[in-house]
Each structure stands twice: as C-alpha cells, then as structure tokens.
Amino acid sequence: MSKVFSFTGSDDFFTGRSLYPNPKEAGLFLSLGRQEYGYKPLPKRSRVSVPFDFSGEKWFDQKPETTIETLPDECLFEILRRLPEGQDRSLCASVSKRWLMLLSSICKNEICSNASTKNGNEDSDEGYLSRSLDGKKATDVRLAAIAVGTASRGGLGKLSIHRSNSDRPLTDVGLKAVAHGCPSLKFLNLWDVATITDEGLVEIANGCHQLEKLDLCKLPTISDKALIAVAKNCPKLNELSIESCPNIGNEGLKAIGKLCPNLRSVSIKNCPGVGDQGIAGMVSAASFVLTNVTLESLAVSDYSLAVIGQYGFVVTDLVLNSLANVTEKGFWVMGNGRALQKLTSLTIGSCPGVTDVGLEAIGKGCPNVKNFELHRCAFLSDNGLLSFTKAAPSIKSLQLEECHRITQLGLVGVLFYCSAKLKALTLVRCYGIKDMNLVLPAVSPCESVSSLSILNCPGVGNSTLAVIGKLCPLLHKLELVGLEGVTDTGFISLLESSKASLFNVNLSGCINLTDAGVLCMVKLHCLTLDVLNLSCCKKVGDASLTAIARECPLLSDLDVSSCAITDAGIRAIAHGDQVDLEVLCLAGCNSVTNKSLQALKKMDSLQGLNIKNCKSLSSRTVDKLIDHLWMCDILF
Amino acid sequence: MAQEASSSTSSKTISLKTGDGEIFEIEASAAKQMKTVQRLIDDLGDDITIPLHNVFSKELPKIIEYYKKDITGEITKDFEAEFVKDLNDDEVKVLFLAANYLDANKLFEFLSQNIADRLESKSVEYVRKYFGVENDFTPEEESKLREERAWSFRGIKEDE
C-alpha cells in the first residue's frame, strides 16, 4: 500500500491536499458562484467531499470567517429548502446573489418545511400579484427576487417583461427562477428580449401549468420548441398572441391547436415562418373553442381562409390584415364555407384579395356579422358595396376607411338598401366620395341609421350633405370632421331635414362653418344636445356660445378649441342659467384673457377644463383657477 | 493487501483518527452510516485506523453518540432536541460541515433542518455574519429586494 501512496512513507492516507500553503487562500479558491450573472447552480444531491485540508488547530486560530461561506451549494441547498415559506425565505434571498439564485432554483415540490406552515392555507398561491419589468430593471437577479418574494404572499399571477438591461441582460436563468418559484403564473408577456432562448420558455412551461395568456413579441430566438412545450404543459392556455417572432413556424401552432383544449383567442402577426399548415392546422384542431382570430402580415394563402370558412364554427371576431397572398378566391371560399355562422365582428384591411365578388360571398356566408370594418381596399366598387349591403342582413355598424373607389352613389346605395338593423355608418378618408349633382328619386329614407361619421373625406361638400340629410332624417350622432368643403348652406340643409334630435355633434375641422350654422343647429336641437365639438372651427365665435348658453340645458361637454371666442363668450356660458357644463375645452383660444377668470370661477359643475395654449392667460390666473376649482381636473 | 482475519463478530469496532490526532472507536454498523468512512474502509480494510482530516475531537464524539443511538433505533424527537439543546450556532455549523464531509445522511438532514429552524426570524445581517457571506448586491438591487419583502422586516428577533 505504501508503495502506491508514497508521499510520506507512512501509512497515513491523505484524502486530499490543499493546493495552497496558506489555508485562507483555499477558502477563496472555493468560493463558488460569485459570478455577476450567468450563475449556474451545481447539480443537487451530489455531495462531494470537501477537498481541502484543515490542518489542525492553526486553522481555527486564524479566525476563519470564510468557513461556512465555502459551504458547497448542495449543503446550502439542503438548509435553504428547509426554510419555512414566508419572511425567512425572502430574508435569505437578500443575503447575497449566490443565495438568491440558489433559493430561486428550488422547485416548489422540493421545499419541505416540517414546521407547521404559518399561514396554513394551501391556496395561498392564487396568483394575485403582478409585476412588470422594463428595460434597465429587467435582470436575472430581479426576476429571482420576484420569484422568491412573491411565493408566499399570494403568488405571482402576471408578469410582463419589456426589453432587458443591456449590461446585465435577462437570460434563461431568470426565467428558470420564475418557473421554479411561481407555479401560479397566469399571464406572461415577453417583449423584445433577445437574450433568452427556448430553454427558458420550456422551463416556464414545465413549471407554470396555470398559464392562461401568453404574449410573445419581437423574440428572435424563440422557436417552435418552446411553443410545443407550452402546448404540452399548459392545458389552461386560452389566449395566445405572437408577433414578429421569425423562428416560430407551423409546428408550434399545430401543437397548440391540438393540445390546448381551451384555446379561445389567437393573434399571429408578422411571423414569416408561419404559413398555411400552421394556421389551418391550428384552426381545424381548435374549431370548437376558437372564438377570436387575428391574422396579420402572414404569408398565408387562400387555403387558410378556406379552412377558416369550413372550421370556424364558433369564431365570433375575425381580423384579417395585410394578407398579400390571399386572392379573391380565398374570400369567396371563406364565405361559402358556411361555418362562420357565429361571426359577429369582421375587420379586413389591406388585403388585395377583397373584391366585389369576394365581399358578396362573405356577406352571404356570414349572415350574423354585426360590425364590419373595411380598410384600404382599393378594389371594392359601388356595386360591390351594394351587393354586400343587400346580402348581409345583420349589419349594425359599417366602417369604410380609405376605400377610394366608393363614390356618393355607393353611399346612397348603402343607405337605401341597408337592412333595418344598420345603426352606424362611418367613412374615413374615402377620397372617392365627391359632390355629385344627384337627383334623388323619391325614396323612403333610412330610418335606422342613427349615427353618421364622415371623417376627412375632402370631396364631401354641401350637396352630399343635402343628400345625406334627406336619407338619414333620424340621426342622433353626427360627426363631420375635417370637411373643408362644407359650409353653412349644406349643414343647414342637413339640419332642416332631420326629424329626430341630435345628441352628439362633432364638427371639428370644418373651417368654413360659421355662427349661422351653429345657431341653426342650436335652434333645432337645443333640447337634446349633450356633447358638442367645434374645435378648429375658426369662424365660430361668441354668438354661438351665447346661443348655446341660453338654449341648451343638457349640454355637458363642449369643445371650442381654436375657435374665435373671446371673454364675452365665456361670460355668456358662465352666466347661462341653463347650462351646467362638465367638460370644457378652450385650448388655443388666444382671445380668452385674464378677464375671464371671474366667469370661469363661477362654473362649479366643471369636472374637466382644458386651457392649454391659451396664450393670454397668465400663470397667476391659472393658479387661481386651480385653487378655486379644486374639484376640477385642469390641463394647462 | 491481505485482510487480517479478525474476529468477525457483528459488533466489530473501527478506529477513527481525527484531524488533531485523537483516536475514537465506533461500531462497524455505525461506520456504515457514514458513507465516507465506509468507502475508506472498503479501500483500506477495516483494521487500520481511518484518518479523518476534516473532523476534530470536538465534534466526533457527538457524531458517534448520534449514530450509537441510531443503530439501536432510539432516535426520537426528544433525543434530537436534547442533542442540539446545548449547542450554540457555531457548534452546529461545525457539526454540519463534519456531517457533510462524512456523508452521514441522517445526521446531515437533521442538522440542516436545525440550522433552518435557527435562522427563523433572524435579520439579514445576522445570517450574513453567521455564514460569513458578503453582500454582493448593488444598492439598487438591494432596495428592490427590500421592497419585495417590505413586510418581513417586522418580527425580527434581536441578534443573539
């Protein structure tokens, strides 16, 4: 034996030898895990003999402050996992980074506290808490602290991480800490974190089986592997949103569709790896639960739409944006699939495949659509709009934005042929709608439309308004925004045709309207006017305000920003016995001076007052106002 | 190496030599519980004195006492309470390290639970001092941690 171990020639057996002559240095050599980040805990349960040599009493004489610091991880782990939940654990988390990371790596089922738990109740981890980390604050250490800290105080339910610290980037270690310590996590939102990988998400999937909502955005390193793990381990997943993740593809989505029985809402945007296989696979597998589907900027083709049309039995909300590869056939097949009977809300934008034929098929095939929005559709013509209107019996609210082929004829057609259910019509930036000299046959007007909004359609002028007036006599809400071609004549003709009472009127940006138009409106609708917006109507002035003050008892919200009003107008409003304004906006009214202070002070019913950019109001006046109208929210 | 034919009775004793040169005797069955010792016995044979460099004469008797009770199956809650009653925190620390070195599972688990219990309601500073740990958090990290456990500052015992 001594031949083999012949250091000293004696029979003593050295189990190990200190490499350093000075025992204290051995301590330094062994201080494990003091790295700043990227901490990798040693595997547990492998208790290795401490390989240094305590050479006798001399060691203890030298005051070894570092003795138990050099306790190997697995020993410290055994102590830490026996700590009862609650303040002791959180306390130990604050001792040092190594302790924090060790504590955070303890899984819930490895904790054993044979001491009776102080709170006793098992469901103390309902996931009441929510945390949000942004940029600089998003580090592994912070996540570990959250994981340990929230564990015994109701559990972490919602976690949002946006970007990560550039010096100490967020890595899988932080996610693992969350996975181990927060089994009650329900909502996870990860946004623009390039330093995590699939491994971290897989850990979360393995640890957080209560996950219900997952939101992934701008994660270049996440791939199908993570999604498949989520699909396998999170049966409660009901909402999934993926945006700009280039490595996520069809396999992940197929797995989610197949394995998540509660998948209600899906939103996939701008993922170049996702194609027909993924979308079709997911929709067909989840066809009895999926209610909300949003597809945007994807390379899907007609096939996906066909599958939606055939399997979307319970889809209620469908949004299709920027699907460049979908043609007219796709929309036609979707409409003819006949499965979309429960569809109530449909939005289509920037899809070159939307043509007259396609839209008509949709109108026929989705008979229960109530809210329909069409954006940036270059091909829809008046005829197509008409056929759609005739074919879609349930439409309550119709919005057309940037559909430039639609003309006044189309507008008239909609109002004439719509079902009795159409209540709201909105047109935004439709440059094709221009004044025409239409001679309308005697048609019965549309009695159902009660809300009409025409925003920034530069071609709309007085004759269009006259036509609208005849066709929509029962308006309650009227919005004519940014219509520079409209003058008092057209406005008054619309007003005179209206038989019902206007509650809500928005004329902002109609720069050619003057007091005459407003006065007419006040005369006809004073008793019902509740909300009035005249911002940027530069020709409207004090006369209107005086009339309003005198006649409109129900008016609660008045916006006269950038109008030609002066102190006289303010005085009129303040002194009007009838009016009890709650919200008043005077932004940019440079003719309102400090003399209005007294008048404004009188308006005790005000809850919101906007006096931004009122150049003639001094800061002293503003201060006095703030003091006096202390119940009111003042923007200045 | 030929093993000397010793009287192979069931209660064979093994000699252990501590780091400071003292020799103690334990039963072979007790030695089995200390895996490190058992490994050394397997390598070196059971009739030479097993050297234990990292265990000292202060702790070894306590450990032997524990395992004497263990083989007879007499470890009870009362015995365990008695066992640690007179030990101060530092002595428990040393025993714990020794148990780890000896790979003595039962004692190790018992002591780790005991240390965990001793840490109850102590302050962060005390824990750092006890374990000789340096605080390596940045001030902002520390303040965030404090926020997370704001409530746990109450109910701290005076440092012993």
Side-chain angles (χ1 to χ4, degrees), chain A residues 1 94-95 97 153 168, chain B residues 44 128 141 148-149 151:
Chain A
M1 181 79 153
S94 315
V95 170
K97 278 194 186 145
R153 294 195 290 142
R168 284 166 289 146
Chain B
L44 303 171
R128 284 198 188 123
E141 283 169 346
E148 279 293 342
R149 59 176 178 96
W151 54 276

Side-chain angles (χ1 to χ4, degrees), chain B residues 2-157:
Chain B
Q3 284 221 342
E4 285 180 3
S6 44
S7 48
S8 48
T9 56
S10 50
S11 55
K12 184 158 162 51
T13 59
I14 311 278
S15 299
L16 300 175
K17 183 164 160 196
T18 67
D20 46 345
E22 284 197 39
I23 303 208
F24 294 87
E25 303 273 330
I26 59 161
E27 318 239 330
S29 37
K32 266 205 174 56
Q33 301 296 328
M34 306 183 207
K35 298 212 187 70
T36 310
V37 175
Q38 190 56 46
R39 276 199 286 272
L40 288 171
I41 294 177
D42 291 339
D43 284 342
L44 303 171
D46 50 6
D47 46 335
I48 76 160
T49 313
I50 311 283
L52 298 172
H53 287 275
N54 292 335
V55 186
F56 298 91
S57 45
K58 256 185 96 183
E59 312 86 68
L60 196 52
K62 269 290 215 183
I63 297 176
I64 294 175
E65 182 195 326
Y66 188 87
Y67 275 103
K68 263 207 187 103
K69 281 282 181 176
D70 186 38
I71 358 172
T72 56
E74 271 174 39
I75 300 222
T76 61
K77 284 270 181 269
D78 288 337
F79 168 71
E80 290 186 330
E82 266 300 311
F83 189 73
V84 290
K85 199 172 72 163
D86 297 319
L87 297 174
N88 66 26
D89 288 340
D90 285 319
E91 288 167 343
V92 172
K93 250 198 311 202
V94 174
L95 258 180
F96 181 66
L97 278 173
N100 177 49
Y101 173 71
L102 292 172
D103 211 351
N105 225 345
K106 216 160 157 192
L107 183 62
F108 180 79
E109 285 187 8
F110 165 55
L111 286 178
S112 56
Q113 181 65 58
N114 190 254
I115 295 185
D117 293 339
R118 277 167 193 255
L119 291 181
E120 194 178 307
S121 300
K122 294 292 200 300
S123 70
V124 180
E125 296 310 321
Y126 180 82
V127 175
R128 284 198 188 123
K129 214 171 61 169
Y130 181 69
F131 287 87
V133 174
E134 234 183 78
N135 177 16
D136 58 351
F137 287 115
T138 68
E140 25 171 66
E141 283 169 346
E142 179 127 40
S143 71
K144 275 291 168 193
L145 278 166
R146 233 171 251 271
E147 265 174 50
E148 279 293 342
R149 59 176 178 96
W151 54 276
S152 75
F153 266 113
R154 295 183 228 123
I156 305 280
K157 282 198 272 207

Side-chain angles (χ1 to χ4, degrees), chain A residues 488 513-520 539-545:
Chain A
D488 293 330
L513 276 185
T514 73
D515 287 326
V518 179
L519 285 173
C520 178
K539 298 181 181 167
V540 168
D542 293 337
S544 302
L545 277 187

Side-chain angles (χ1 to χ4, degrees), chain A residues 95-106:
Chain A
V95 170
S96 81
K97 278 194 186 145
R98 175 186 168 214
W99 279 50
L100 173 62
M101 299 320 270
L102 254 186
L103 260 174
S104 67
S105 69
I106 301 177

Side-chain angles (χ1 to χ4, degrees), chain A residues 111-337:
Chain A
I111 299 172
C112 52
S113 34
N114 50 5
S116 55
T117 49
K118 299 216 170 89
N119 24 7
N121 46 341
E122 285 296 316
D123 38 33
S124 58
D125 284 337
E126 276 303 302
Y128 296 124
L129 302 173
S130 86
R131 293 283 184 272
S132 171
L133 301 182
D134 205 338
K136 240 176 52 161
K137 289 191 266 163
T139 61
D140 286 336
V141 169
R142 181 89 182 95
L143 270 187
I146 289 175
V148 173
T150 56
S152 49
R153 294 195 290 142
L156 188 67
K158 184 171 151 156
L159 178 63
S160 305
I161 305 177
H162 292 192
R163 296 182 293 276
S164 101
N165 190 308
S166 38
D167 299 320
R168 284 166 289 146
L170 195 79
T171 67
D172 293 334
V173 173
L175 290 182
K176 279 183 195 162
V178 171
H180 291 149
C182 308
S184 54
L185 191 69
K186 293 200 185 68
F187 172 38
L188 178 63
N189 177 352
L190 287 173
W191 204 40
D192 198 5
V193 184
T195 41
I196 57 170
T197 71
D198 284 334
E199 224 187 287
L201 263 188
V202 168
E203 286 283 335
I204 295 229
N206 287 335
C208 307
H209 299 286
Q210 307 292 321
L211 200 63
E212 289 177 16
K213 295 193 218 293
L214 182 61
D215 192 335
L216 307 172
C217 181
K218 288 209 202 132
L219 301 172
T221 47
I222 300 296
S223 77
D224 286 332
K225 191 165 149 216
L227 266 193
I228 293 174
V230 170
K232 286 191 179 141
N233 293 300
C234 304
K236 290 192 177 178
L237 192 71
N238 59 41
E239 224 177 275
L240 176 67
S241 168
I242 307 179
E243 184 175 340
S244 305
C245 296
N247 283 319
I248 288 191
N250 294 325
E251 294 306 313
L253 289 183
K254 284 204 297 211
I256 295 267
K258 213 168 76 166
L259 300 171
C260 295
N262 292 308
L263 192 69
R264 278 200 325 257
S265 162
V266 159
S267 164
I268 319 275
K269 296 183 185 173
N270 192 21
C271 292
V274 169
D276 286 329
Q277 291 300 315
I279 299 295
M282 186 173 64
V283 170
S284 53
S287 60
F288 290 107
V289 274
L290 203 54
T291 58
N292 291 45
V293 178
T294 299
L295 305 176
E296 185 172 310
S297 304
L298 300 174
V300 295
S301 73
D302 297 339
Y303 180 65
S304 291
L305 258 64
V307 169
I308 293 177
Q310 273 223 301
Y311 286 94
F313 300 114
V314 289
V315 174
T316 57
D317 291 62
L318 180 61
V319 175
L320 305 171
N321 275 328
S322 303
L323 302 179
N325 295 347
V326 175
T327 70
E328 174 183 85
K329 189 159 148 225
F331 287 100
W332 187 88
V333 171
M334 185 171 89
N336 280 298

